[in-house]
Amino acid sequence: MALSAGAKTILLAVIGVTMAIMGLLSYLMFPRILRWQVEENLILSPEAEPYEYWKVIPVPIYARFYFFNVTNTEDIIEKKAKPYVQELGPYTFGMNDMETREKVNITWHSNGTVSYLQIKRWFYEPSLTNGSLDDLVTNVNVPLATAVNQGVRSGDPFFISGIDSILKFTNSRLYVTKSIRNLLFDGYEEEILNTAKDIGIEVPYDKFGWFYRKNNSDDGEYTIFTGKSDVDKYGYVDLWKGSKYCIIGRHPPCNQIQGTAGDMWPPFRNDKKQKLSLFVADVCSTLQLSYLSEIEVNEIESYRYWLDETALDNGKYKEENSCLCADSCMPPGALDIETCQFGTPAVISFPHFLYADQHYHDKIDGLKPDPEQHVFIIDLEPKLGIPVNVNARLQINVAIPNCDEIENLELLLVKRYYIILIFGLSASINLETAEKLKFVTKMLPQYVTIGCFLSVSCGVIIIILALHRAGSTLITKKPRKQMVYTAVKVVQQNELLKGSEA
């Protein structure tokens, strides 16, 4: 049965109102729906979409090493001159798409966490290197510096005397010249290590190299939150090597493990001013990055975070950072990581002691700190919590203490910090991953907004047409006013006609 004109008008109006309301509700509800979908799909599990990306990171990662060559060792020993350093490098190692950081021994726990080991594999990239792995570098003898430092820290005259005796009967010297490959992954034998073992001193390695035995290896078991029990903890490290604490000697809360391992952060970062916490196992420390600016990376709107000038200040600028001090506070701008490096008196800072106290600059020549080159940044996509660009740089230094009881070594009169190397890590998402991120975070909201606008607009137009149709129908049905001719008017008309004929 055909609908009447009135019924058609009512149906048209209902359709218009429905489209307008649905479009408006979709626009208002989409952010909540998107948030719910993102949170549900990001939760780590073997069935989750991000699982494969998390298990085997599909992003090329490059490590760049810059070594410092001490050019005036004779003047340092004979004339007590300040060390003069010359930067060499970069010596670049990368990971291609087939050999990336891979997570193994994955174990899921009922409390919403997962444990794993992450295997790191590095491959030499000669085309991205300035120099070769056979370049020679002269700098302090780190195993020797470690032995001296342990003797000084022990305060035991017998221990110190034993180290002095070892030095007397060995060829160990304060400065050594070694190749880049030996200083990095291959390692080199040092006579003082073998002698220490012979007399019963426990030594954790048979060779010394800053990354000796670390290629194709892991840096300990991580246990992180999957987001299942609390999405706000998504990616945060719960345990490292089975513990919630990393550095012995620091005061709480600086000795606690905080932040993520750098793979991901919780989604929907509403407060961009909130610090970005990053746990770095290589230095057994949690670094707090501050918000710097908004930036676009491969057309992806991101927040840029950086380690600012107060990040390693030991409490000079911010009192809460005083817990970074170990046994005693160093001059601000450097962080003691000795307990993380088997007793090696290692100290991290920004490259060329950028933002560090003048104390460090006064003790060494050849420094050229540059905020543009030596900054530590992470660009984070805030809706999904995914880092889209990383450019991290830290400097490893060695502290050489003074010890008058050691006579068989040319120690300086004061404690001095030697720059050894700069370790830089860079990674940026590829175009395929960028396109997926851009679709979810940028294009999809735009498509929904356009769709909602069109729905509301069409609904309003249909409502207007329905109102117009209803108005036209009413006008058509209104009765017309008819002319009434009375007898009087006819008589008057006839008289007028007769008058005109006369």
Side-chain angles (χ1 to χ4, degrees):
M1 184 176 67
L3 295 175
S4 65
K8 291 180 180 179
T9 301
I10 293 173
L11 179 61
L12 195 63
V14 170
I15 293 174
V17 171
T18 302
M19 290 184 66
I21 292 176
M22 291 299 295
L24 182 61
L25 287 177
S26 298
Y27 179 77
L28 295 176
M29 293 299 295
F30 175 73
R32 295 184 181 182
I33 296 173
L34 177 63
R35 184 185 185 97
W36 172 68
Q37 283 293 311
V38 167
E39 290 178 354
E40 286 294 316
N41 289 299
L42 278 184
I43 293 174
L44 276 180
S45 70
E47 298 79 23
E49 183 178 350
Y51 176 73
E52 292 300 326
Y53 292 90
W54 171 79
K55 183 181 178 182
V56 181
I57 299 177
V59 176
I61 302 174
Y62 295 96
R64 292 178 174 86
F65 302 92
Y66 300 81
F67 277 84
F68 287 84
N69 185 46
V70 180
T71 62
N72 61 336
T73 55
E74 292 184 3
D75 288 342
I76 296 172
I77 296 172
E78 297 174 3
K79 302 178 183 179
K80 309 302 179 183
K82 287 195 296 184
Y84 186 91
V85 294
Q86 176 188 21
E87 183 182 288
L88 304 177
Y91 303 92
T92 305
F93 291 77
M95 298 190 298
N96 57 36
D97 292 338
M98 299 300 295
E99 299 286 350
T100 58
R101 293 191 178 191
E102 180 183 6
K103 295 176 176 64
V104 299
N105 294 359
I106 300 172
T107 305
W108 304 92
H109 306 293
S110 59
N111 65 343
T113 62
V114 58
S115 299
Y116 63 89
L117 299 174
Q118 181 167 253
I119 305 299
K120 299 178 182 179
R121 302 184 182 96
W122 301 107
F123 299 90
Y124 178 52
E125 298 278 359
S127 62
L128 301 176
T129 294
N130 182 20
S132 77
L133 296 182
D134 294 318
D135 291 347
L136 298 178
V137 177
T138 299
N139 213 311
V140 295
N141 188 342
V142 177
L144 176 58
T146 302
V148 173
N149 182 69
Q150 290 182 350
V152 172
R153 282 197 175 275
S154 71
D156 185 351
F158 180 76
F159 191 180
I160 296 175
S161 177
I163 293 175
D164 197 27
S165 299
I166 292 175
L167 293 174
K168 183 178 181 180
F169 296 103
T170 64
N171 293 319
S172 295
R173 293 293 178 264
L174 183 59
Y175 299 99
V176 295
T177 300
K178 300 294 179 181
S179 68
I180 297 295
R181 68 174 71 251
N182 292 136
L183 291 170
L184 280 176
F185 295 105
D186 290 358
Y188 64 90
E189 294 184 354
E190 172 56 43
E191 190 174 359
I192 194 171
L193 293 178
N194 298 327
T195 306
K197 289 180 181 178
D198 292 340
I199 63 176
I201 298 177
E202 184 178 353
V203 179
Y205 37 72
D206 58 331
K207 292 182 179 182
F208 174 77
W210 284 104
F211 295 87
Y212 178 57
R213 290 183 176 175
K214 289 188 177 182
N215 202 349
N216 199 29
S217 69
D218 65 89
D219 50 15
E221 184 184 63
Y222 290 86
T223 300
I224 68 170
F225 291 97
T226 63
K228 182 179 180 180
S229 56
D230 186 356
V231 75
D232 291 333
K233 291 184 177 180
Y234 179 72
Y236 271 67
V237 179
D238 182 35
L239 303 172
W240 179 57
K241 295 183 177 180
S243 175
K244 293 181 179 292
Y245 303 91
C246 52
I247 284 284
I248 299 173
R250 290 187 193 158
H251 307 290
C254 292
N255 63 339
Q256 298 176 2
I257 295 174
Q258 303 176 57
T260 77
D263 296 330
M264 57 213 177
W265 276 267
F268 298 101
R269 191 174 185 84
N270 296 322
D271 183 9
K272 59 186 177 184
K273 299 292 185 180
Q274 180 186 0
K275 295 269 188 175
L276 197 67
S277 298
L278 173 66
F279 175 67
V280 183
D282 288 330
V283 298
C284 306
S285 302
T286 296
L287 303 178
Q288 301 286 352
L289 287 81
S290 301
Y291 172 77
L292 181 61
S293 64
E294 293 187 10
I295 191 170
E296 195 170 90
V297 181
N298 290 332
E299 299 183 17
I300 299 172
E301 295 177 359
S302 308
Y303 295 161
R304 170 160 289 184
Y305 292 86
W306 70 309
L307 285 180
D308 62 21
E309 65 276 9
T310 67
L312 304 175
D313 73 336
N314 291 343
K316 179 179 179 180
Y317 301 104
K318 294 184 179 179
E319 186 177 352
E320 61 266 26
N321 289 340
S322 60
C323 62
L324 290 171
C325 300
D327 295 339
S328 60
C329 278
M330 301 167 52
L335 186 62
D336 184 357
I337 59 169
E338 177 182 326
T339 55
C340 185
Q341 299 294 328
F342 305 106
T344 298
V347 173
I348 63 168
S349 67
F350 293 117
H352 291 257
F353 285 115
L354 176 69
Y355 303 132
D357 191 89
Q358 190 62 34
H359 170 87
Y360 301 101
H361 296 266
D362 291 341
K363 297 294 189 295
I364 195 166
D365 287 332
L367 300 179
K368 298 177 182 178
D370 184 349
E372 292 187 4
Q373 294 186 28
H374 301 146
V375 72
F376 186 121
I377 61 169
I378 294 177
D379 297 328
L380 187 74
E381 196 291 307
K383 291 181 181 177
L384 300 182
I386 296 176
V388 295
N389 179 56
V390 176
N391 203 341
R393 298 182 181 93
L394 287 174
Q395 179 173 287
I396 299 178
N397 314 279
V398 168
I400 305 297
N402 176 43
C403 186
D404 296 334
E405 291 84 355
I406 297 180
E407 299 177 353
N408 294 289
L409 189 64
E410 313 89 345
L411 291 176
L412 299 173
L413 299 177
V414 294
K415 186 175 184 178
R416 179 163 286 161
Y417 299 90
Y418 279 83
I419 302 177
I420 304 297
L421 64 94
I422 295 172
F423 172 62
L425 198 66
S426 64
S428 186
I429 59 171
N430 54 35
L431 292 178
E432 180 182 356
T433 306
E435 287 298 321
K436 292 181 179 179
L437 274 178
K438 187 168 67 173
F439 175 78
V440 174
T441 62
K442 191 174 182 179
M443 302 306 295
L444 183 59
Q446 287 180 356
Y447 292 152
V448 171
T449 300
I450 293 172
C452 293
F453 175 78
L454 291 176
S455 179
V456 172
S457 299
C458 290
V460 171
I461 292 172
I462 292 173
I463 292 171
I464 293 173
L465 290 175
L467 292 174
H468 178 74
R469 181 184 178 91
S472 299
T473 303
L474 289 175
I475 293 172
T476 302
K477 289 183 176 182
K478 186 176 180 181
R480 292 183 179 180
K481 188 175 181 181
Q482 297 179 352
M483 186 68 69
V484 179
Y485 296 93
T486 62
V488 175
K489 289 183 178 180
V490 173
V491 172
Q492 291 175 348
Q493 186 176 17
N494 292 332
E495 290 179 353
L496 290 172
L497 290 173
K498 290 178 180 182
S500 61
E501 289 176 358

